Amino acid sequence: EAQVTQNPRYLITVTGKKLTVTCSQNMNHEYMSWYRQDPGLGLRQIYYSMNVEVTDKGDVPEGYKVSRKEKRNFPLILESPSPNQTSLYFCASSSRGPGDNEQFFGPGTRLTVL
Amino acid sequence: GDSVTQMEGPVTLSEEAFLTINCTYTATGYPSLFWYVQYPGEGLQLLLKATKADDKGSNKGFEATYRKETTSFHLEKGSVQVSDSAVYFCAHSGYSTLTFGKGTMLLVSP
C-alpha cells in the first residue's frame, strides 16, 4: 500500500531532550516536507526537500533540523525542544515539487513538550 | 507575500443542506489551487484541484472553480452528509512550497 508513515504517533517529552520524528514514504517520491498544525494557525511548513541531499527552510524552521540522506526518509530533529514546539506534526510527499502535484500526508505526530 | 484566506468556522449545517466555503488567495504568477480535507484523527488528503483559470475541480460531490479575476476558489456541495464533517483546507502551490489557509471546520448534523 502506498503510504507515508510517521513515528512515533504520540510523544510527550521534556524541555531540552533531543528527539527525532521519523518519516518514510514508499512511493519513490522526490519531494518531501514537514508541517506543523496549530489551532487558529492552520498548517505551516517547517522544511522541505526537493530531492536527496537538497533541503530548504519553510516558513517556521527555527528550532528544527532535517536531513535527506535517502529518497524515502526525511526525519525531523528537535535538538533542544521547547514548550512552544508542542504541536501536531505532519510529513508529506509528492512525486515532484508541489506544482500541480497531489501531496500525500502521513497520519501525524502529536508532540507535547513539558 | 503569498497567502490563502478562508472563512472561519465552524460551519454548522443540517444533512442535505447546501455548502459553500469561501477561499481567496494572493500569489505571484498562476498557481495551482487545491482543497484538502482532514477527517478527525487523520492526516490531510486531497479532495480536488484546479491547475489553471476557469478549471473546475470536482470529487465526491464537491466542486470548486478557479476564478483568476476574483482570485477565488470557493468550495461547494449541493447536499452535505454527516460523513462530510471534517476540516477543509484551501491551498495554493508554488514551485517548492504549498501555502495553506487556516482551515474551516464543517459540522453536519442528522
Side-chain angles (χ1 to χ4, degrees):
Chain A
E1 179 190 357
Q3 59 182 348
V4 178
T5 56
Q6 295 179 226
N7 283 294
R9 293 289 311 278
Y10 302 90
L11 179 60
I12 300 174
T13 189
V14 296
T15 299
K17 186 177 181 182
K18 181 179 178 180
L19 65 92
T20 299
V21 183
T22 65
C23 172
S24 183
Q25 50 91 6
N26 62 2
M27 296 168 279
N28 201 36
H29 284 169
E30 291 186 356
Y31 182 90
M32 298 186 74
S33 63
W34 277 102
Y35 297 88
R36 59 178 289 174
Q37 182 179 16
D38 301 290
L41 296 177
L43 275 87
R44 295 177 293 167
Q45 191 176 52
I46 303 170
Y47 268 95
Y48 65 92
S49 170
M50 295 294 285
N51 211 328
V52 176
E53 302 291 1
V54 180
T55 64
D56 209 343
K57 297 176 180 178
D59 297 320
V60 289
E62 294 77 21
Y64 304 95
K65 286 174 56 178
V66 293
S67 69
R68 187 89 184 273
K69 294 187 172 67
E70 313 164 89
K71 185 180 268 194
R72 65 183 293 128
N73 296 323
F74 191 47
L76 179 69
I77 303 156
L78 285 72
E79 296 266 1
S80 183
S82 61
N84 65 12
Q85 293 178 298
T86 293
S87 187
L88 180 59
Y89 292 86
F90 289 101
C91 181
S93 72
S94 60
S95 54
R96 290 163 298 163
D100 60 356
N101 298 302
E102 177 180 2
Q103 297 289 305
F104 292 83
F105 284 81
T109 295
R110 186 166 292 282
L111 172 65
T112 301
V113 183
L114 302 175
Chain B
D2 292 359
S3 66
V4 175
T5 303
Q6 55 183 111
M7 60 192 289
E8 290 190 25
V11 174
T12 304
L13 296 173
S14 298
E15 205 164 26
E16 299 183 3
F18 184 85
L19 168 71
T20 299
I21 300 178
N22 291 335
C23 170
T24 58
Y25 67 91
T26 59
T28 52
Y30 303 100
S32 292
L33 302 175
F34 305 83
W35 277 100
Y36 281 84
V37 59
Q38 183 180 31
Y39 297 104
E42 298 183 10
L44 282 72
Q45 54 187 274
L46 179 67
L47 180 60
L48 55 84
K49 71 176 184 181
T51 58
K52 60 183 187 298
D54 299 325
D55 265 4
K56 178 185 283 188
S58 61
N59 187 25
K60 299 181 181 180
F62 291 89
E63 294 182 339
T65 301
Y66 190 140
R67 301 286 189 202
K68 188 162 72 79
E69 63 277 10
T70 55
T71 61
S72 65
F73 193 54
H74 305 321
L75 182 68
E76 296 181 336
K77 187 176 186 183
S79 176
V80 294
Q81 306 300 312
V82 172
S83 57
D84 293 328
S85 297
V87 180
Y88 293 82
F89 291 91
C90 184
H92 73 63
S93 65
Y95 172 72
S96 59
T97 60
L98 196 60
T99 301
F100 286 91
K102 294 182 179 180
T104 303
M105 178 178 288
L106 171 65
L107 300 170
V108 181
S109 57

